[in-house]
Amino acid sequence: MSDLERAKSLLAGGQYTCVLCKDDVTLTSTLTGIQPMVHYLQKQTDLQGFSAADKIVGKAAAMLFVLAGVKAVYATVMSMDAIAILKQNNIAASCAVQTKEILNRKGTGICPMEQAVQNIQQPEAAYAAVQTKLQQLQHTKSNKTEEKRT
């Protein structure tokens, strides 16, 4: 079984949101959204040559996979922008469902991570934009929690 097939199989099991495989190394995550890749990049995990399977991959996630140096990405749902970015960077891209854009969790508009990288072409800049957006969202979330307590 190839690294990508193993990653896809583990993802299909439903326990994980993101799986990365290379030879006898398997990394799994239950974090949501783009957080698994942000976590691996923050920890400076060497993902060079890994194959990845993820639930949803938009442009933001694709840029992080490029930055990490993975060789193949499968997603249950993948945006057309993500496919283009992965292919431009010689990363094999495949998916069950291809979509024009990735929506936010409520389905009311574009995903905030996608908005954050909309006009960005460099993976390093995308990573910085994603981190900034995650901090903003966390700050907003903690403010709403404080408002509910008062």
Side-chain angles (χ1 to χ4, degrees), residues 102-133:
I102 304 299
L103 300 178
N104 62 28
R105 294 188 198 284
K106 292 180 181 176
T108 58
I110 303 292
C111 167
M113 296 303 130
E114 298 302 283
Q115 289 175 338
V117 301
Q118 192 170 8
N119 299 314
I120 296 176
Q121 300 305 318
Q122 297 300 320
E124 295 83 3
Y127 178 46
V130 163
Q131 287 182 303
T132 299
K133 180 54 82 174

Side-chain angles (χ1 to χ4, degrees), residues 64-86:
L64 299 189
F65 283 122
V66 169
L67 187 60
V70 302
K71 69 176 185 177
V73 178
Y74 165 83
T76 308
V77 177
M78 188 178 291
S79 73
M80 292 187 295
D81 284 346
I83 293 168
I85 286 183
L86 293 169

Side-chain angles (χ1 to χ4, degrees), residues 37-54:
M37 285 307 297
V38 169
H39 171 80
Y40 291 130
L41 290 168
Q42 285 174 338
K43 297 278 188 200
Q44 297 181 343
T45 306
D46 182 7
L47 298 176
Q48 195 72 37
F50 273 73
S51 293
D54 202 330

